[in-house]
Amino acid sequence: KLFKVGNKPSTAEQARERFRAVPGLGVVGAEIAERCPALLAHDPTKIVLTLPGTGADGQVVADALEARGLHLEFADRDTFCPVITLADTPETVDFMVTEIIAAVEEHRGDPRPLVPITAWTLEPDTAMTPRDAFFADHERVSAADAVGRIAAETAAPYPPGVPALAPGERIHADTLAALQAEAASGTRIAYCGDPMLETVLVVRD
């Protein structure tokens, strides 16, 4: 019942319909294929929700849900993703949807614009190959001293898990500032030695 059988909507599709009824809550679904055929391979069990229209903070909503025993695949300020598994039943999905809607309503605020995450807005400044940067001599320096240096590690905000900084790329102040702001807001910065980006591993001069 989690997936569509015949003409009957699946449990996941029913969940999406309930979310779509919440004012301001965005729901990403199979319709993305109409705008981008490359995204036709849509996982129906992953329900991606966008929160700016509700004014709620996704990290705060996620924390509230964690306290109620509901764990999300990922969450940041504007986006979060609950997952339906094969172990779920219509009853457990109903509970999940009810609790998510309640948490969003509890933390509703003034609508805000959707701000693209750092990984989608950067133009990489490649100074050497990733391999050469990886195998070069390294040193860890403060964020201020890292500006203008060549990165020797990866920093990927999760979601989406796409690197905003990779080995071999020259480090710019705006990139570090954006990553630090995301880390401070609660977004997980993966694959780097200092997830708060107060220090950065760089290629030794």
Side-chain angles (χ1 to χ4, degrees), residues 136-204:
D137 289 337
H138 304 149
E139 62 178 333
R140 184 166 292 278
V141 299
S142 69
D145 290 337
V147 175
R149 303 283 295 275
I150 299 172
E153 64 179 348
T154 298
Y158 189 82
V162 175
L165 184 67
E169 293 179 1
R170 194 167 301 282
I171 301 168
H172 295 278
D174 56 349
T175 300
L176 280 183
L179 285 168
Q180 289 171 336
E182 290 186 0
S185 73
T187 297
R188 176 191 171 209
I189 308 297
Y191 312 125
C192 53
D194 180 356
M196 298 306 294
L197 274 300
E198 294 177 353
T199 63
V200 185
L201 190 68
V202 300
V203 173
R204 191 182 298 273

Side-chain angles (χ1 to χ4, degrees), residues 37-85:
L39 296 179
L40 184 59
H42 169 67
D43 185 346
T45 66
K46 292 186 179 182
I47 302 175
V48 179
L49 305 174
T50 57
L51 290 168
T54 70
D57 185 312
Q59 293 286 357
V60 175
V61 172
D63 290 344
L65 293 170
E66 291 269 352
R68 300 174 191 177
L70 287 171
H71 304 282
L72 305 176
E73 178 174 352
F74 63 71
D76 63 14
R77 178 172 177 262
D78 290 337
T79 313
F80 65 94
C81 176
V83 179
I84 299 173
T85 72

Side-chain angles (χ1 to χ4, degrees), residues 113-139:
L114 178 64
V115 178
I117 61 172
T118 306
W120 298 140
T121 60
L122 296 175
E123 287 289 338
D125 182 2
T126 303
M128 61 192 306
T129 69
R131 184 183 189 280
D132 287 345
F134 183 83
F135 287 108
D137 289 337
H138 304 149
E139 62 178 333

